[in-house]
Amino acid sequence: MEMKLTKIARTGVAVLALLMLGSCGIYKKYETPTSTVLTKAYAEARELPTDSAAFGNLLWENVFTDPKLASLINMALENNTDLRNAKLNVEIAQANLKGAKLSYLPSLALAPNGAGASYAGSDLSWSYTIPAQLSWEIDIFGKILNSKRGAQASLYRSEAYAQAVRSQIISAVATTYYSIAAVRNQLSLSRSTAELWKETVQTMKDLKNAGRGVTEAAVVQSSANYYSILASITDLEVSLDNLNNTMSLLVNTLPQEWDVTDKVDLSVPQVLRAGVPMAELAARPDVQAAEQALAAAYYTTASARAAFYPGLNIVANGGFTNLLGSMIKNPGDWFYQLAGSLTAPIFARGQNIARLKASKAQQKQALNSFEYALLSASAEVSDALTVYEKSQEKSALLVEQVANLEKSVEYTKDLMLYSTGSTNYLEVLTAQQGLLSAQISQINTELARARSVINLYQALGGGR
């Protein structure tokens, strides 16, 4: 009999060893895939030391040095609802991870009960049991391990997402701030231009009344020009109100008018270069979040594989009772039981197979999303660099254009005043319109340059 038990035990150990050998893949930790050139470059970049001088790694206080803007960014970081919710998501992920870690510990349950019974008119007999059950799942095939690792990946993903939201808020506040400044600048320019055009209308009327070759058509044309700029001012006022409301939402306060001067400048470090190292793209929080989503999907697949293997549970029952067999004993006595069970799935109506197939497909989706996040990050950086470079060139050209158009307006006015030609008023109107258009384009180009710097900072993972 003893030999048979020994043989059975050896067989059981051998079967268990074979199962563990076949399941070694479910214990493997996630590693960044290197199956493509893109992901391989990313994996190598992750091993490089952090470059604290890189533009995306600079603290936002060192990039946005305007005191009013810095104050607004601080307000947004303290009060913004989206950032608060992102931080709460981190707390939720931390709680889930803690729960996954505690799954390694045994569970303990206490279920006291009592009952009374009387037979054939006998006295009521009371029985009671105060049992405690201790249950412990032995994690032989990594079910709990993969659950814990998946929860850890979800926590990292939540933290990366919170950082991405922080970066977006900083960029949104800065963009809105410079947009308000640009619209204020346009309003100031349009109002002063409107005064000049109003004077032109009066000049046209005076020349017509003096018989200086200016017709009624010239007067009404100049008046139409004047009213067109007044109409554009109303559009700018609406845009300014919308921008002020946007800023109020970002800092989570009631709508109000924000004190932003119309003359602001964004001074930034030298950011132009031939290309952006992969290490800077790897620092982006959205890229890191995409990779952690892939890691969580990897562990979900590992958990689906582990479901095909047996589960080992040890259960211990013990407590105090006065019900022993068919007898009621007073006082009661202590009792205990100890049992172990090995449960292996044989047929689960295809649920384990379906779960594994689904998790593999979801893992491939997560890989595709991760690779796309890298490509998207690279494109965003390239776009921001191009806009920054070209806005610098365009700004220099517009300075020359505005200077020449200012002279053109001056010259055509002189011609209108001292020439008897009846078409000079058209030249004046054309020159005035061209100057205003160039000046507004100059303001928009400066805004585009500021936005490109903000976008580049965000695209490189800035906002720490």
Side-chain angles (χ1 to χ4, degrees):
M1 183 66 178
E2 185 177 349
M3 290 180 63
K4 284 186 177 181
L5 290 174
T6 303
K7 188 175 181 180
I8 292 172
R10 288 176 179 175
T11 303
V13 170
V15 170
L16 188 61
L18 286 172
L19 287 171
M20 294 185 69
L21 182 63
S23 64
C24 59
I26 62 178
Y27 300 106
K28 187 178 179 181
K29 292 189 70 174
Y30 164 82
E31 294 179 357
T32 303
T34 56
S35 54
T36 65
V37 175
L38 188 65
T39 55
K40 183 178 180 181
Y42 172 84
E44 293 172 351
R46 288 293 302 271
E47 301 300 321
L48 298 175
T50 302
D51 181 9
S52 59
F55 186 48
N57 292 333
L58 296 176
L59 297 176
W60 68 262
E61 294 92 340
N62 296 332
V63 177
F64 306 114
T65 55
D66 185 304
K68 291 182 180 178
L69 174 56
S71 176
L72 288 169
I73 291 175
N74 277 319
M75 286 177 62
L77 293 179
E78 290 176 4
N79 303 325
N80 188 270
T81 302
D82 289 337
L83 186 57
R84 286 179 176 177
N85 287 337
K87 290 178 179 178
L88 289 172
N89 283 334
V90 173
E91 293 183 16
I92 292 170
Q94 288 173 337
N96 290 336
L97 176 59
K98 185 176 181 180
K101 289 180 177 179
L102 291 176
S103 296
Y104 283 104
L105 301 178
S107 62
L108 179 64
L110 184 66
N113 63 81
S118 173
Y119 300 98
S122 63
D123 294 337
L124 190 66
S125 299
W126 289 96
S127 64
Y128 62 87
T129 304
I130 308 176
Q133 184 181 73
L134 185 70
S135 177
W136 187 20
E137 181 180 358
I138 309 300
D139 192 34
I140 300 176
F141 296 105
K143 296 177 183 178
I144 299 176
L145 174 66
N146 284 300
S147 176
K148 186 202 76 170
R149 288 174 174 175
Q152 183 75 68
S154 296
L155 172 59
Y156 291 152
R157 182 187 182 188
S158 297
E159 291 173 341
Y161 176 75
Q163 177 58 35
V165 172
R166 175 185 170 90
S167 178
Q168 290 168 2
I169 290 170
I170 292 172
S171 299
V173 171
T175 298
T176 306
Y177 181 82
Y178 286 105
S179 297
I180 291 175
V183 172
R184 285 186 179 277
N185 204 346
Q186 289 181 11
L187 268 172
S188 177
L189 171 64
S190 297
R191 285 166 178 162
S192 61
T193 301
E195 290 300 317
L196 293 175
W197 288 13
K198 185 177 180 181
E199 292 176 6
T200 299
V201 173
Q202 188 59 49
T203 301
M204 293 281 191
K205 289 179 179 179
D206 293 341
L207 290 174
K208 173 182 173 292
N209 294 333
R212 295 284 303 276
V214 174
T215 64
E216 183 65 23
V219 174
V220 296
Q221 185 74 44
S222 60
S223 296
N225 243 22
Y226 171 63
Y227 288 119
S228 74
I229 195 170
L230 291 181
S232 70
I233 287 174
T234 62
D235 291 335
L236 289 172
E237 289 171 342
V238 170
S239 296
L240 181 59
D241 183 68
N242 290 339
L243 287 168
N244 278 317
N245 290 339
T246 299
M247 183 67 81
S248 299
L249 285 173
L250 287 169
V251 300
N252 200 30
T253 189
L254 292 173
Q256 57 184 281
E257 185 176 347
W258 296 96
D259 181 21
V260 180
T261 178
D262 58 356
K263 297 186 182 300
V264 297
D265 182 49
L266 178 56
S267 300
V268 297
Q270 184 69 21
V271 295
L272 297 182
R273 50 188 178 274
V276 179
M278 177 61 76
E280 294 191 35
L281 298 182
R284 281 178 53 132
D286 60 332
V287 171
Q288 294 176 356
E291 187 187 15
Q292 292 305 320
L294 174 59
Y298 172 86
Y299 291 124
T300 299
T301 303
S303 295
R305 288 195 176 99
F308 286 88
Y309 295 93
L312 178 59
N313 288 276
I314 296 176
V315 179
N317 291 290
F320 192 78
T321 183
N322 71 338
L323 183 60
L324 300 175
S326 60
M327 299 172 54
I328 297 178
K329 177 184 177 183
N330 288 299
D333 207 346
W334 293 97
F335 72 94
Y336 65 87
Q337 297 172 336
L338 182 64
S341 64
L342 185 68
T343 305
I346 297 176
F347 178 69
R349 296 176 295 178
Q351 295 301 307
N352 289 339
I353 295 174
R355 182 186 172 198
L356 180 59
K357 286 183 177 180
S359 60
K360 284 181 177 180
Q362 290 168 350
Q363 186 177 340
K364 289 179 181 178
Q365 287 179 332
L367 177 59
N368 292 337
S369 298
F370 171 50
E371 291 178 344
Y372 182 80
L374 281 171
L375 290 173
S376 178
S378 179
E380 287 178 9
V381 172
S382 177
D383 289 344
L385 284 170
T386 300
V387 173
Y388 180 84
E389 181 182 9
K390 295 305 176 183
S391 62
Q392 294 282 82
E393 296 177 10
K394 185 177 180 180
S395 181
L397 296 172
L398 286 173
V399 168
E400 297 297 326
Q401 183 187 17
V402 169
N404 282 277
L405 285 171
E406 286 173 344
K407 293 177 182 179
S408 175
V409 170
E410 182 182 350
Y411 294 157
T412 53
K413 276 186 176 180
D414 289 343
L415 285 172
M416 183 183 67
L417 291 171
Y418 303 113
S419 171
T420 58
S422 60
T423 58
N424 284 333
Y425 79 91
L426 292 175
E427 296 175 7
V428 172
L429 299 180
T430 301
Q432 287 177 333
Q433 290 172 341
L435 175 59
L436 178 62
S437 177
Q439 289 172 325
I440 290 179
S441 181
Q442 192 174 30
I443 295 171
N444 288 335
T445 299
E446 286 303 306
L447 176 60
R449 185 185 71 84
R451 283 180 171 177
S452 68
V453 173
I454 296 167
N455 292 339
L456 178 62
Y457 183 61
Q458 181 183 355
L460 293 175
R464 291 167 177 75

